[in-house]
Amino acid sequence: MGDLAIDFCGEWYEPSDEDIFNIGREGDLEVDDNPYLHRQFLQVARYDGIWWLSNVGSMLSATVADASGGMQAWLSPGARIPLVFSHTNIIFTAGPTTYEFAVHLKTPSFRQEAREGAGSGDTTIGPVVFTDAQKALIVALAEPVLRREGTGFSAIPSSAAAAKTLGWALTRFNRKLDNVCDKLNRVGVAGLRGGGGKLATNRRARLVEHAVTTHLVTPDDLYLLEKMRGVDEG
């Protein structure tokens, strides 16, 4: 295997040092025949001895995080980010579908360290504290991703479907979703609110991307779906 390898759905790709590796509806990694996905969306290429991930699309963004969840970046159209960790996860949403692939480096520039309390189920991310009901809402939206093993794709449930999973009225679900997005927006999580104070139309997808890549929710939290079913709090 070369210095860099990409894993998507258990298939492995090894870009060469000289070429630009295209990811999208078409390209070297053909993700899916999804009309919401750009023909060319992301590119992986090596410049001056460093591997870079570039967003060459015009509408979609991607969430990029190290395996520990300690570093996360939102890669908007026209932006690029160096790939410096031994294991980097990239997750993005096109239409109703969320995709995830992983980049592995043999010679990373930085070493990942496991965070204390990772996977412990704590509900505090920085200064943000979530109630069990608020965290259950996130789990309901992220459930298909959390139940998936490895890289691949899954559909994010609609607000109505997630509310049904929790046994909540849709108005109650939307109020809690507003609260969760507001909390994260206040501590600088991008993409959860639109301009002029309007809620972003893709906030459910962005919330799932952030929550999964930072380990805010993990498969160990799926029990909350049953625990908080029908409960009105938070």
Side-chain angles (χ1 to χ4, degrees), residues 1 4-8 10-15 21 23 29 44 101-104:
M1 189 172 73
L4 182 142
I6 297 171
D7 169 28
F8 178 66
E11 295 188 4
W12 290 82
Y13 304 82
E14 297 179 27
F21 187 86
I23 301 168
L29 196 173
V44 175
F101 66 91
V103 175
H104 299 263

PDB file of all heavy atoms in Angstrom, residues 1 4-8 10-15 21 23 29 44 101-104:
ATOM      1  N   MET A   1       0.841  -1.188   0.000  1.00  0.00           N
ATOM      2  CA  MET A   1       0.000   0.000   0.000  1.00  0.00           C
ATOM      3  C   MET A   1       0.878   1.240   0.000  1.00  0.00           C
ATOM      4  O   MET A   1       1.919   1.289   0.648  1.00  0.00           O
ATOM      5  CB  MET A   1      -0.915  -0.011   1.231  1.00  0.00           C
ATOM      6  CG  MET A   1      -1.985   1.077   1.219  1.00  0.00           C
ATOM      7  SD  MET A   1      -3.178   0.890   2.582  1.00  0.00           S
ATOM      8  CE  MET A   1      -2.167   1.388   3.965  1.00  0.00           C
ATOM      9  N   LEU A   4      -0.817   6.914   1.134  1.00  0.00           N
ATOM     10  CA  LEU A   4      -2.196   7.291   1.441  1.00  0.00           C
ATOM     11  C   LEU A   4      -3.160   6.292   0.821  1.00  0.00           C
ATOM     12  O   LEU A   4      -2.990   5.865  -0.323  1.00  0.00           O
ATOM     13  CB  LEU A   4      -2.491   8.701   0.922  1.00  0.00           C
ATOM     14  CG  LEU A   4      -3.890   9.256   1.211  1.00  0.00           C
ATOM     15  CD1 LEU A   4      -3.821  10.754   1.536  1.00  0.00           C
ATOM     16  CD2 LEU A   4      -4.820   9.046  -0.005  1.00  0.00           C
ATOM     17  N   ALA A   5      -4.184   5.939   1.595  1.00  0.00           N
ATOM     18  CA  ALA A   5      -5.223   5.024   1.106  1.00  0.00           C
ATOM     19  C   ALA A   5      -6.579   5.528   1.574  1.00  0.00           C
ATOM     20  O   ALA A   5      -6.709   6.096   2.661  1.00  0.00           O
ATOM     21  CB  ALA A   5      -4.982   3.609   1.607  1.00  0.00           C
ATOM     22  N   ILE A   6      -7.594   5.318   0.746  1.00  0.00           N
ATOM     23  CA  ILE A   6      -8.952   5.764   1.021  1.00  0.00           C
ATOM     24  C   ILE A   6      -9.861   4.547   1.107  1.00  0.00           C
ATOM     25  O   ILE A   6      -9.827   3.668   0.235  1.00  0.00           O
ATOM     26  CB  ILE A   6      -9.446   6.719  -0.076  1.00  0.00           C
ATOM     27  CG1 ILE A   6      -8.588   7.988  -0.097  1.00  0.00           C
ATOM     28  CG2 ILE A   6     -10.914   7.074   0.117  1.00  0.00           C
ATOM     29  CD1 ILE A   6      -8.861   8.895  -1.282  1.00  0.00           C
ATOM     30  N   ASP A   7     -10.671   4.495   2.164  1.00  0.00           N
ATOM     31  CA  ASP A   7     -11.617   3.400   2.367  1.00  0.00           C
ATOM     32  C   ASP A   7     -13.035   3.926   2.229  1.00  0.00           C
ATOM     33  O   ASP A   7     -13.442   4.836   2.957  1.00  0.00           O
ATOM     34  CB  ASP A   7     -11.415   2.784   3.764  1.00  0.00           C
ATOM     35  CG  ASP A   7     -12.532   1.826   4.142  1.00  0.00           C
ATOM     36  OD1 ASP A   7     -13.148   1.221   3.241  1.00  0.00           O
ATOM     37  OD2 ASP A   7     -12.802   1.685   5.364  1.00  0.00           O
ATOM     38  N   PHE A   8     -13.792   3.357   1.298  1.00  0.00           N
ATOM     39  CA  PHE A   8     -15.206   3.682   1.143  1.00  0.00           C
ATOM     40  C   PHE A   8     -15.973   2.394   0.891  1.00  0.00           C
ATOM     41  O   PHE A   8     -15.711   1.685  -0.084  1.00  0.00           O
ATOM     42  CB  PHE A   8     -15.439   4.664  -0.009  1.00  0.00           C
ATOM     43  CG  PHE A   8     -16.901   4.992  -0.244  1.00  0.00           C
ATOM     44  CD1 PHE A   8     -17.628   5.684   0.711  1.00  0.00           C
ATOM     45  CD2 PHE A   8     -17.546   4.598  -1.404  1.00  0.00           C
ATOM     46  CE1 PHE A   8     -18.970   5.976   0.509  1.00  0.00           C
ATOM     47  CE2 PHE A   8     -18.883   4.887  -1.620  1.00  0.00           C
ATOM     48  CZ  PHE A   8     -19.597   5.584  -0.649  1.00  0.00           C
ATOM     49  N   GLY A  10     -15.672  -0.399   2.232  1.00  0.00           N
ATOM     50  CA  GLY A  10     -14.794  -1.558   2.201  1.00  0.00           C
ATOM     51  C   GLY A  10     -13.944  -1.677   0.959  1.00  0.00           C
ATOM     52  O   GLY A  10     -13.146  -2.608   0.842  1.00  0.00           O
ATOM     53  N   GLU A  11     -14.087  -0.732   0.031  1.00  0.00           N
ATOM     54  CA  GLU A  11     -13.225  -0.698  -1.147  1.00  0.00           C
ATOM     55  C   GLU A  11     -12.100   0.302  -0.905  1.00  0.00           C
ATOM     56  O   GLU A  11     -12.329   1.381  -0.372  1.00  0.00           O
ATOM     57  CB  GLU A  11     -14.020  -0.307  -2.395  1.00  0.00           C
ATOM     58  CG  GLU A  11     -15.081  -1.326  -2.789  1.00  0.00           C
ATOM     59  CD  GLU A  11     -15.719  -0.996  -4.130  1.00  0.00           C
ATOM     60  OE1 GLU A  11     -15.273  -0.013  -4.770  1.00  0.00           O
ATOM     61  OE2 GLU A  11     -16.640  -1.711  -4.534  1.00  0.00           O
ATOM     62  N   TRP A  12     -10.901  -0.081  -1.316  1.00  0.00           N
ATOM     63  CA  TRP A  12      -9.724   0.734  -1.026  1.00  0.00           C
ATOM     64  C   TRP A  12      -9.161   1.344  -2.307  1.00  0.00           C
ATOM     65  O   TRP A  12      -9.120   0.691  -3.354  1.00  0.00           O
ATOM     66  CB  TRP A  12      -8.656  -0.103  -0.335  1.00  0.00           C
ATOM     67  CG  TRP A  12      -9.049  -0.473   1.060  1.00  0.00           C
ATOM     68  CD1 TRP A  12      -9.872  -1.509   1.445  1.00  0.00           C
ATOM     69  CD2 TRP A  12      -8.673   0.201   2.257  1.00  0.00           C
ATOM     70  NE1 TRP A  12     -10.026  -1.523   2.807  1.00  0.00           N
ATOM     71  CE2 TRP A  12      -9.298  -0.484   3.332  1.00  0.00           C
ATOM     72  CE3 TRP A  12      -7.872   1.303   2.532  1.00  0.00           C
ATOM     73  CZ2 TRP A  12      -9.139  -0.088   4.661  1.00  0.00           C
ATOM     74  CZ3 TRP A  12      -7.704   1.699   3.850  1.00  0.00           C
ATOM     75  CH2 TRP A  12      -8.331   1.006   4.903  1.00  0.00           C
ATOM     76  N   TYR A  13      -8.742   2.597  -2.192  1.00  0.00           N
ATOM     77  CA  TYR A  13      -8.168   3.337  -3.311  1.00  0.00           C
ATOM     78  C   TYR A  13      -6.830   3.911  -2.858  1.00  0.00           C
ATOM     79  O   TYR A  13      -6.685   4.344  -1.715  1.00  0.00           O
ATOM     80  CB  TYR A  13      -9.099   4.471  -3.745  1.00  0.00           C
ATOM     81  CG  TYR A  13     -10.497   4.024  -4.114  1.00  0.00           C
ATOM     82  CD1 TYR A  13     -11.468   3.804  -3.130  1.00  0.00           C
ATOM     83  CD2 TYR A  13     -10.843   3.819  -5.445  1.00  0.00           C
ATOM     84  CE1 TYR A  13     -12.743   3.391  -3.467  1.00  0.00           C
ATOM     85  CE2 TYR A  13     -12.135   3.415  -5.789  1.00  0.00           C
ATOM     86  CZ  TYR A  13     -13.077   3.203  -4.795  1.00  0.00           C
ATOM     87  OH  TYR A  13     -14.341   2.793  -5.136  1.00  0.00           O
ATOM     88  N   GLU A  14      -5.860   3.930  -3.771  1.00  0.00           N
ATOM     89  CA  GLU A  14      -4.523   4.429  -3.448  1.00  0.00           C
ATOM     90  C   GLU A  14      -4.094   5.475  -4.477  1.00  0.00           C
ATOM     91  O   GLU A  14      -3.514   5.154  -5.507  1.00  0.00           O
ATOM     92  CB  GLU A  14      -3.515   3.275  -3.435  1.00  0.00           C
ATOM     93  CG  GLU A  14      -3.798   2.224  -2.375  1.00  0.00           C
ATOM     94  CD  GLU A  14      -2.786   1.101  -2.410  1.00  0.00           C
ATOM     95  OE1 GLU A  14      -1.644   1.340  -2.847  1.00  0.00           O
ATOM     96  OE2 GLU A  14      -3.144  -0.030  -2.016  1.00  0.00           O
ATOM     97  N   PRO A  15      -4.411   6.742  -4.215  1.00  0.00           N
ATOM     98  CA  PRO A  15      -3.987   7.811  -5.142  1.00  0.00           C
ATOM     99  C   PRO A  15      -2.463   7.854  -5.253  1.00  0.00           C
ATOM    100  O   PRO A  15      -1.758   7.657  -4.259  1.00  0.00           O
ATOM    101  CB  PRO A  15      -4.530   9.083  -4.481  1.00  0.00           C
ATOM    102  CG  PRO A  15      -5.601   8.627  -3.547  1.00  0.00           C
ATOM    103  CD  PRO A  15      -5.182   7.279  -3.083  1.00  0.00           C
ATOM    104  N   PHE A  21      -6.786  13.009  -7.369  1.00  0.00           N
ATOM    105  CA  PHE A  21      -7.781  11.959  -7.166  1.00  0.00           C
ATOM    106  C   PHE A  21      -9.137  12.615  -6.939  1.00  0.00           C
ATOM    107  O   PHE A  21      -9.335  13.349  -5.972  1.00  0.00           O
ATOM    108  CB  PHE A  21      -7.391  11.100  -5.964  1.00  0.00           C
ATOM    109  CG  PHE A  21      -8.255   9.886  -5.755  1.00  0.00           C
ATOM    110  CD1 PHE A  21      -7.977   8.705  -6.416  1.00  0.00           C
ATOM    111  CD2 PHE A  21      -9.337   9.934  -4.885  1.00  0.00           C
ATOM    112  CE1 PHE A  21      -8.766   7.575  -6.216  1.00  0.00           C
ATOM    113  CE2 PHE A  21     -10.127   8.818  -4.675  1.00  0.00           C
ATOM    114  CZ  PHE A  21      -9.839   7.631  -5.346  1.00  0.00           C
ATOM    115  N   ILE A  23     -13.264  12.751  -6.348  1.00  0.00           N
ATOM    116  CA  ILE A  23     -14.329  12.057  -5.623  1.00  0.00           C
ATOM    117  C   ILE A  23     -15.639  12.772  -5.893  1.00  0.00           C
ATOM    118  O   ILE A  23     -15.736  13.993  -5.748  1.00  0.00           O
ATOM    119  CB  ILE A  23     -14.043  12.051  -4.108  1.00  0.00           C
ATOM    120  CG1 ILE A  23     -12.699  11.359  -3.822  1.00  0.00           C
ATOM    121  CG2 ILE A  23     -15.171  11.381  -3.334  1.00  0.00           C
ATOM    122  CD1 ILE A  23     -12.200  11.570  -2.413  1.00  0.00           C
ATOM    123  N   LEU A  29     -13.161   7.971  -7.514  1.00  0.00           N
ATOM    124  CA  LEU A  29     -14.057   7.331  -6.550  1.00  0.00           C
ATOM    125  C   LEU A  29     -15.468   7.798  -6.871  1.00  0.00           C
ATOM    126  O   LEU A  29     -15.844   8.927  -6.577  1.00  0.00           O
ATOM    127  CB  LEU A  29     -13.675   7.700  -5.117  1.00  0.00           C
ATOM    128  CG  LEU A  29     -14.243   6.838  -3.974  1.00  0.00           C
ATOM    129  CD1 LEU A  29     -13.622   7.234  -2.632  1.00  0.00           C
ATOM    130  CD2 LEU A  29     -15.758   6.894  -3.862  1.00  0.00           C
ATOM    131  N   VAL A  44      -8.259  14.810  -3.723  1.00  0.00           N
ATOM    132  CA  VAL A  44      -7.107  14.504  -2.885  1.00  0.00           C
ATOM    133  C   VAL A  44      -5.866  14.593  -3.770  1.00  0.00           C
ATOM    134  O   VAL A  44      -5.814  13.978  -4.837  1.00  0.00           O
ATOM    135  CB  VAL A  44      -7.221  13.097  -2.265  1.00  0.00           C
ATOM    136  CG1 VAL A  44      -5.948  12.740  -1.495  1.00  0.00           C
ATOM    137  CG2 VAL A  44      -8.435  13.023  -1.348  1.00  0.00           C
ATOM    138  N   PHE A 101     -16.305   8.454   4.224  1.00  0.00           N
ATOM    139  CA  PHE A 101     -15.143   7.666   3.846  1.00  0.00           C
ATOM    140  C   PHE A 101     -13.983   8.033   4.757  1.00  0.00           C
ATOM    141  O   PHE A 101     -14.026   9.024   5.488  1.00  0.00           O
ATOM    142  CB  PHE A 101     -14.784   7.838   2.356  1.00  0.00           C
ATOM    143  CG  PHE A 101     -14.320   9.206   1.950  1.00  0.00           C
ATOM    144  CD1 PHE A 101     -12.975   9.547   1.977  1.00  0.00           C
ATOM    145  CD2 PHE A 101     -15.228  10.163   1.501  1.00  0.00           C
ATOM    146  CE1 PHE A 101     -12.544  10.803   1.578  1.00  0.00           C
ATOM    147  CE2 PHE A 101     -14.811  11.423   1.096  1.00  0.00           C
ATOM    148  CZ  PHE A 101     -13.469  11.746   1.137  1.00  0.00           C
ATOM    149  N   ALA A 102     -12.968   7.201   4.749  1.00  0.00           N
ATOM    150  CA  ALA A 102     -11.832   7.391   5.651  1.00  0.00           C
ATOM    151  C   ALA A 102     -10.546   7.468   4.848  1.00  0.00           C
ATOM    152  O   ALA A 102     -10.382   6.769   3.839  1.00  0.00           O
ATOM    153  CB  ALA A 102     -11.745   6.250   6.667  1.00  0.00           C
ATOM    154  N   VAL A 103      -9.648   8.335   5.302  1.00  0.00           N
ATOM    155  CA  VAL A 103      -8.330   8.473   4.687  1.00  0.00           C
ATOM    156  C   VAL A 103      -7.286   7.997   5.695  1.00  0.00           C
ATOM    157  O   VAL A 103      -7.282   8.425   6.854  1.00  0.00           O
ATOM    158  CB  VAL A 103      -8.053   9.934   4.281  1.00  0.00           C
ATOM    159  CG1 VAL A 103      -6.631  10.072   3.747  1.00  0.00           C
ATOM    160  CG2 VAL A 103      -9.062  10.405   3.247  1.00  0.00           C
ATOM    161  N   HIS A 104      -6.405   7.112   5.252  1.00  0.00           N
ATOM    162  CA  HIS A 104      -5.359   6.557   6.110  1.00  0.00           C
ATOM    163  C   HIS A 104      -3.993   6.965   5.568  1.00  0.00           C
ATOM    164  O   HIS A 104      -3.725   6.840   4.369  1.00  0.00           O
ATOM    165  CB  HIS A 104      -5.458   5.031   6.158  1.00  0.00           C
ATOM    166  CG  HIS A 104      -6.757   4.538   6.725  1.00  0.00           C
ATOM    167  ND1 HIS A 104      -6.904   4.169   8.043  1.00  0.00           N
ATOM    168  CD2 HIS A 104      -7.971   4.362   6.154  1.00  0.00           C
ATOM    169  CE1 HIS A 104      -8.148   3.784   8.258  1.00  0.00           C
ATOM    170  NE2 HIS A 104      -8.824   3.887   7.119  1.00  0.00           N
TER     171      HIS A 104
END
